[in-house]
Amino acid sequence: MGRKIRAGALISGGGTNLQAIIDAAAQGRIDVDLVFVGADNPEARGLERAARAGVETFVVDYKAIIGQVKKAPDKASPPDDFNLDEIRKKQHLIPESAGRQKLEQFLISRAIAERALLDRILPHRVDLVVLAGFMRTLTPYFIDRINIDQHRIMNIHPALLPAFPGTDGYGDTFRYGCRVGGCTVHFVDYGEDTGPILGQRAFTIDEGDTLETVKKKGLELEWELYPDCIQDFASKILG
Ligand code: GRF
């Protein structure tokens, strides 16, 4: 058997991109051993896809963690190696103008959740973490502990970045009246959907298209693009 990279995936929802990766790996189209699937909520339906494929799963319940910090901010205990000033300076997710309290609560609650993710992820010694519909931003606390020597976190975004960052790329593309939509795979950096672009696919938006047909066209391209970009990464690692 040929050499493979070790990868893990993080999801929040249905996991159709995850399925595309599982299938590509099973069919030998990508040199990837998928060693875990983690979710930010216990309801993520993609967890079943992972379990069916025999992949280890775990959940870090972001909603519960964030709720706890909001309820009792003074009792929140960030990880020992968390340095608030350092992370505040590095991050580009929330502007300082949002206010000190909001920013600190955001960074502390995320660091608690991200530490729980890292505790599950790091023992697997993965080459790559793929975000497959993971609807949480990641702070420099997490990113720096995965990207030790190079970019190792990949995301798929439902728009042609740098246009339409954020959570509703297809919706924003459609409502703007664009005649072309698309998807982007990029590495994750300290901003939201701002990291180096690895690949893009585009489709035309025609007269009769609706938001539903736009999403369908886009997702079908995502399922091709993501495995292709993962394989490009794997080829570079494996040499
Ligand atoms: C995709 O459109 C992806 O681009 C975005 O979230 C959606 C996830 O879909 N980040 P699925 O969970 O992979 O089906």
Side-chain angles (χ1 to χ4, degrees), residues 13-18 132-133 135 156-158 170 219 222:
T16 64
N17 277 287
L18 171 68
M135 303 305 282
I156 187 148
H157 181 77
Y170 293 134
L219 264 176
E222 290 186 34

